Amino acid sequence: MKIALGTVQFGLAYGVANKAGRVPQSSVANIINVARAAQIEVLDTAAAYGASEKVLGINGVEGFNVVSKLPPRPENIRDLKLWVVNSIERSLINLKCESLYGVLMHRPLDLLAHDGDRIWEALLERKKAGLVRKVGVSVYGPDDLDRLKDFDFDMVQAPMNIIDRRIESSGWLERLNRKGVEVHVRSAFLQGLLLMPKNRRPEYFKSWSGLLSEYDAWIRGEGLSPLEACLGFLNGISGVDNVVVGVDSPGQLEEIVSASTGVEISVPASIQSNDPELINPSLWQL
């Protein structure tokens, strides 16, 4: 399994388990050094991640494949092609690089809105011009892919973890693999929820205490740490090209890299959920 470094924490305070806020500049430099030493190839960022792109540009992205995302489509925008061109140019300037490995739609259903085909045409033109190698979407789940099935994406990023297995159970992971689409998985730890001890989980998650207790008991029974369990589960999933992880410190990244080389782990089918209020962090009421 390949680890990709997610960088949202470099620009924003992010994650249910994050108590430290945005990662300070000094730590970012050390995290990047750990990533280089670990031969991590992909950095994942986005225009919507606050100062993340600029922070990466300051630290240097040479030797990495950088994947960024277009910001949400502005309302009442007149020239969508120019908006795409300017958005990608702004990312390149912020990152201080000449081209991007990937550009994804942060809100993929913008492609289905009025004149959304103009966005797609502009992305393909940027690819043809050599400014972008791969274009695609960052989705919330397989429902998005159902609606976007007529597009030929080069890359798809989707959530997947022990609790949220929809991208595989829906058949979409296999379909993407057959089409040669590069698949990046995010939310491996469900924004940190799956790494938190029971007594630190916010009250909001009480509704799913039965499921989470079963998860806790299974980990104890297997003699695993939560980190080993989450990454071991993804190790057992074929067809995932990169697992995007965000960290708050160099030590966290070192732990993740170490745990990612572990054995493949089979998780009971009962430890999963399709409840959007649990598996979609944007819906959490914290």
Side-chain angles (χ1 to χ4, degrees):
M1 177 178 61
K2 289 186 177 181
I3 294 294
L5 178 60
T7 65
V8 60
Q9 287 99 323
F10 296 178
L12 299 169
Y14 179 84
V16 67
N18 179 9
K19 303 302 181 185
R22 177 178 157 184
V23 177
Q25 177 67 34
S26 57
S27 291
V28 170
N30 292 331
I31 291 168
I32 295 294
N33 287 337
V34 170
R36 290 187 192 281
Q39 298 183 317
I40 287 173
E41 298 176 357
V42 174
L43 299 178
D44 180 85
T45 187
Y49 291 171
S52 175
E53 288 184 335
K54 287 186 176 180
V55 169
L56 287 174
I58 291 169
N59 282 277
V61 296
E62 296 83 7
F64 290 106
N65 292 327
V66 181
V67 177
S68 194
K69 307 175 192 73
L70 292 181
R73 170 179 173 163
E75 292 186 15
N76 303 318
I77 190 78
R78 291 188 177 182
D79 191 332
L80 285 168
K81 278 197 170 184
L82 182 60
W83 170 71
V84 171
V85 169
N86 289 341
S87 295
I88 292 175
E89 181 63 24
R90 191 175 304 113
S91 290
L92 291 172
I93 291 171
N94 287 338
L95 290 160
K96 298 181 181 179
C97 60
E98 295 182 354
S99 65
L100 293 167
Y101 180 70
V103 171
L104 308 178
M105 296 290 300
H106 214 145
R107 288 189 182 173
L109 299 186
D110 282 348
L111 292 172
L112 300 180
H114 177 67
D115 281 344
D117 57 321
R118 303 285 287 172
I119 298 175
W120 187 240
E121 288 170 7
L123 285 171
L124 293 179
E125 288 171 1
R126 296 296 89 190
K127 177 182 171 183
K128 188 175 181 180
L131 295 176
V132 179
R133 183 171 171 185
K134 299 192 176 190
V135 293
V137 287
S138 175
V139 299
Y140 289 100
D143 291 352
D144 288 346
L145 292 170
D146 289 339
R147 298 180 66 181
L148 296 162
K149 62 182 182 298
D150 294 330
F151 289 87
D152 289 324
F153 301 125
D154 302 313
M155 181 185 295
V156 166
Q157 185 185 113
M160 187 178 190
N161 53 64
I162 287 174
I163 302 295
D164 180 4
R165 310 188 202 178
R166 295 169 299 155
I167 194 68
E168 183 186 37
S169 62
S170 66
W172 263 110
L173 182 59
E174 183 182 355
R175 290 171 69 178
L176 293 170
N177 290 163
R178 285 202 308 265
K179 293 175 71 175
V181 178
E182 185 169 329
V183 178
H184 292 196
V185 162
R186 69 175 186 277
S187 202
F189 314 126
L190 197 50
Q191 259 200 31
L193 176 66
L194 298 180
L195 303 181
M196 298 175 74
K198 178 179 179 180
N199 61 1
R200 284 193 54 208
R201 291 175 188 145
E203 184 70 17
Y204 172 78
F205 298 103
K206 189 174 182 180
S207 299
W208 301 279
S209 58
L211 175 63
L212 293 172
S213 292
E214 184 180 357
Y215 166 71
D216 294 335
W218 170 74
I219 287 177
R220 286 195 302 271
E222 294 293 320
L224 299 168
S225 70
L227 183 62
E228 290 169 336
C230 289
L231 293 176
F233 163 72
L234 291 174
N235 259 329
I237 305 297
S238 62
V240 174
D241 294 289
N242 278 282
V243 177
V244 181
V245 299
V247 299
D248 300 329
S249 69
Q252 280 186 357
L253 183 55
E254 289 171 344
E255 289 177 13
I256 288 169
V257 169
S258 177
S260 70
T261 61
V263 297
E264 300 176 4
I265 295 170
S266 178
V267 184
S270 57
I271 306 178
Q272 61 180 302
S273 174
N274 291 330
D275 188 340
E277 293 187 351
L278 172 61
I279 60 179
N280 186 347
S282 69
L283 300 178
W284 291 353
Q285 302 293 319
L286 301 178

